[in-house]
Amino acid sequence: MSYRTTPSVDYVEDVSPGSGVLPPRAWYASSDARFLSLNGRWRFRLSATAGAEDDSFAEEGHDAGDWAEVTVPGHWVLQGDGAFGSPIYTNHLYPFPVDPPYVPTENPTGDHLRVFDLPSDWPSDGGAVLRFDGVESCARVWLNGTELGEFKGSRLAHEFAVGELLKPGRNVLAVRVHQWSAGSYLEDQDQWWLPGIFRDVTLLHRPAGGVGDFFVHASYDHTTGEGTLRVDSDVAGRVTVPALDIDVATGDPVTVAVEPWTAETPKLYDGVLATDGERVPLRIGFRTVALEDGLIKVNGRAILFRGVNRHEWHPERGRALDLETMREDVLLMKRHNLNAVRTSHYPPHPAFLDLCDEYGLWVIDECDLETHGFTEQDWRDNPVDDDRWTPALLDRAARMVERDKNHPSIVFWSLGNEAGTGRGLTAMAEWIRGRDPERLVHYEGDWNCRDTDVYSRMYAFHDEVEKIGRRLDGGTRKRRELPFIQCEYAHAMGNGPGGLADYQELFETYDRLQGGFVWEWIDHGVKHAELGYAYGGDFGEELHDGNFVCDGLVFPDRTPSPGLIEYKKVVEPVRIEGDGANGTVHITNKHDFADLSALAFAWSCQVDGETVESGSLAVPALAPGESAEVKLPEPPADGRGGERQWTVRALLADDTSWAAKGHVVAWGQFAVGARPLPSFPATDRPVPDDGRITLGPGRFDARTGTLLSIGEVEVDATPRLDVWRATTDNDDGAEWQTDTRFGVLWRTLGLHRMRHRLVSVEAGDDALTVRTRVAPAAREIGLDTVYRWTSDGERLRLSVSVTPEGDWTVPLPRLGVRFRLPEADAVEWFGGGPGEAYPDTGTASMVGRWRSTVDGLQTPYVRPQENGARADVRWVELGGLRVEGDPEFFFTARRWTTEQLDAARHRTDLTAGDTVWVNLDHGLHGIGSQSCGPGPLPQYVLKAEPAEFSFVFSTTG
C-alpha cells in the first residue's frame, strides 16, 4: 500500500491566482463610507520554510508577545538590521531552481499579526471589505481565526468580504506571507526581490446600496469640442458634475462642451457618483485615444512620448512608497520636461496614477508579468504559453484594468515585459480589448504585432530606428503600418546615457517614430551604513547582477543625475535657435497640444561668460508646431574684444501646480561672432641653472624635463600624456552584447597601465622640448609624444603633439595631460557647465562663468567611475593656477587618482586627500548606452590619430 500526504502549503505552488478573494473593481481613494487603515506596527515571526509553523498563530488569543515587530507597509528584509534576511537582486535569473510551479523548501515565510479595535461608532449596517494593495509574493489571510483565502499577484489589489467576521472591540488579523510561490515565476522583473506587505492594508465599510464597480467613459470629439460622459455602475445611482451642469443617471450618456484632458493640459472635472448608500468623488478627464493613419493619436493629434520607465523605489523602504515620495517623482518629471511614464513592470500604487491625472503625464500601465528567466532555457516551459497558467494571467490583466480603468492618464495597457510570446498573452490582449476598447494595447516582445497596437522595441540602435522611421525595417505588413515606440532606450546606468539628442532628432524627423521611454527613473541603491548605497552582491547573494540595479536618471535620494539634466534639455518642448550674426532667434513650439501663452521669454548677452545686459523678449503664443523669427536687440558694445553670446530662455510666466514662476522650461545659446583666439608671443628662452631650467615663470628638472613649479605654485607631478579613464558602466558594456565593448578592449590592450619612456630633453633657443614614448606593456603599439614649452615672460605654454605608432585598432578613452597640485579647493572656469558633459552628453552644458569646489565637481554615481568633466572650457582657475586652452578643452579635478577611482566599488572606498589631480583633455571618448543599449555613435569615438593641442599656464596671485 502507498499513500501521499498533502501539505497545508500546496497553495503556494498552485498555478491558480488564489481563492476567496472578491472580483476586482475600480479603486478610489475616498468616499463618504467609513474606512480604517491597518498600516502601522505588526507583530512578526519569520520561518525558514513555508510549512515550518502551523496555523495556530491565526487563532484568537494566540500569544505573540515574544514576536518581533515590523512596519506595514514594508519589506521584512529591509527591517530588523539583517535579522530577517537580506534583499536579493537579479536582473533576469531566477534566484531559485527553474522547476515551475515548484519553489524551494527554503522559502522564507513571515507570519504577521495585527490586533485592532473596531471603532465604537463603526456602522452596524452593510458589510465590510479587507483590502490589500500589495503583498509579495503569496499571502494567506485569517480574520478572528477564520481563514479568508490566499492570493498571488504581488503588485495587485486583493479584497476579502469580512463583514460577518468583524467584532465590536478587539479583532485579530493574521497574514502569512511567503517569499517564493508559483507566482514568483510570473514576477521576474529586473529589481530587488523583497518579500512583505509593502502597500496599504485597509478595512472598508460597505454600506447597503454602496458603490460597487464603476467605469467612467469620458471621450472627447476634437472636431466639435464636446465631451461625452457615461458612467457605468454595478449599483444604480446618479452622476453629477457641477462645473458642466451634469446630473444624469448611471449608464446614461451626456454630451457637453468641455476642455479636454492631455498631459500638457490636464483638465479634470470634479464630479460625484452617488448611490443610495455612498458618494464617491470622481476626477474626470475627457480624452479619446485612437490608432489612426498609422499613428497614436489623442484628441485627434499624434503625440510624441518623452518618457521614462519607473520602478517604485525608496532607498530605505524599497517599494513601500508614501504619497509625498510619489508626488516628488511626478514633480521632478514635470520639471524636467518628461511627459510620459511606463509603469515598469507592474501597476504602481494607484495614488501615483491619481498624480499623473492631476499633473499631466501619459501612462503606459503595465501588467505584473515577466518571465524573463526562461530565456536561459530558450523559453521552454514558459508560463505564458502554457494553458495551465492562463487563468493566472487573465486574473493579473483583469486586476490591472479594473483597478485603474478610470484614469484619463492611461493611454496604453501593457501585457507585461520580457515574457516571450504565447497563447496566454493573446488571451490577455483579447480580454483587455473586450473590456476596454477605448485604449491601446502594448507589449514589446510581440515583434510581429499579433496582439498589440504598436510596434515596440527596446534598445534598438540609432541606425535601425531610422530604418523603422523610413518603413524600411521589413517585418509583416501589419507591423509596417503601425507606429513605433522605444519602450526602453538610453540605459541610464552610471555616467550617461549618451546619444539622447541623436535619438530625439530621429523621433522628431519621422512621424512613425512616436518617442520612447528612457530606462529608467531611479537608482535602486539600498541605503547602507558602511557602503553608502548597496547594490547586487552586497548582501551575499549567491546569484546577483551587481550594480545593474542602479540605472536611473535620479540617484537613490532622488537627486537629479547629469543624465536627467541632459534629458530635460534634449526633450525641451520649445526649440530655441539663433543667428547671432543678424541678431534673430528662431523659436518653435514642440508641444503636441499647448500653445506658448504660459511662457515668458527672456534674453541675456554675455561677454566672456558674464552677463552684461538682459531683458524680456516678445514671442507670440505660437500654436503647436508653429515657428517664428524674433528680432533680438542690438548687442552691447564691447571694447575688450571678448567672446560674446546670446542666451534666450523660455520661463513659466506664472506659478503652476508643478513649478514656480520663472522655472526654466527651455533655453538656447548662440555666439554673436567668432571666438577671439588668445595670442601668445614666445619671448623667453630656457635658462639652465644648477640642474634646473628656468623658462619664464616655470622651473624644470634639467635631466627629465619635469615641471616643478609655476611661479610660487608647486606642481607635484608634471603634466604628461594621459589616455586612461576609470571605465564607466557604459564603457564596460553588458556581458551578453556582441558589439565591441571598449572598456574590455582597453584593459586587454593595457591602456590602464601605460608606461612613459623619456627619449630626450632639449633646451633650445626659444623652447624646452621633451620627447617621450607612451605605450602599454606587452604591446608594440605606442604614442610618440612631444611636449614643447615656451614662455612670454609671464605665462607658460605647453604644446603637445601625439603621433600613434603601430596598428591602433581601438579608440582612446581620453587624450590629454594629467598633473597634480599639492592643494586646491575653489574652482572657477569659463566654459560649459554647471554640470558634467561628455561628447555625446553635452546638450545641457551651458557656456558661462561657473564656480565650484573640487568636491563639488564630483558626480556621486553609486558605483564610482569616470565623472565630472566640464566641456568647452576656455580657461580654469584652481590651486593658484590659471589654465587657458587652445582650442577649448575638457577639465576634470578630483582628490584621488584615476586608478583609485577605477578600483573603487562604492563611494566609501574613496578617501579624499589634500592633493588634487587635474586632467586637461583635448578629447574624450563618447559615453553611449552600452550597459544595455548601443555604444557611442561613430562621431563620438575618440580615434587614435595624430593630434596637437596646447595649454597656457599662469598664476592667479
Side-chain angles (χ1 to χ4, degrees), residues 262-265 298-303 362 589 591-595 624:
T262 75
E264 297 168 6
T265 57
V298 178
N299 302 339
R301 291 179 180 266
I303 61 174
W362 307 117
N589 182 0
H591 287 97
D592 294 325
F593 296 94
D595 64 22

Side-chain angles (χ1 to χ4, degrees), residues 50 84 137 187 222 407 422 547 614 616 631 654 845 884 911 924:
F84 306 141
S137 72
E187 296 173 2
H222 65 280
H407 291 282
N547 68 312
S614 60
S616 60
K631 188 69 176 177
D654 296 292
S845 182
E884 299 172 77
T911 302
L924 286 169

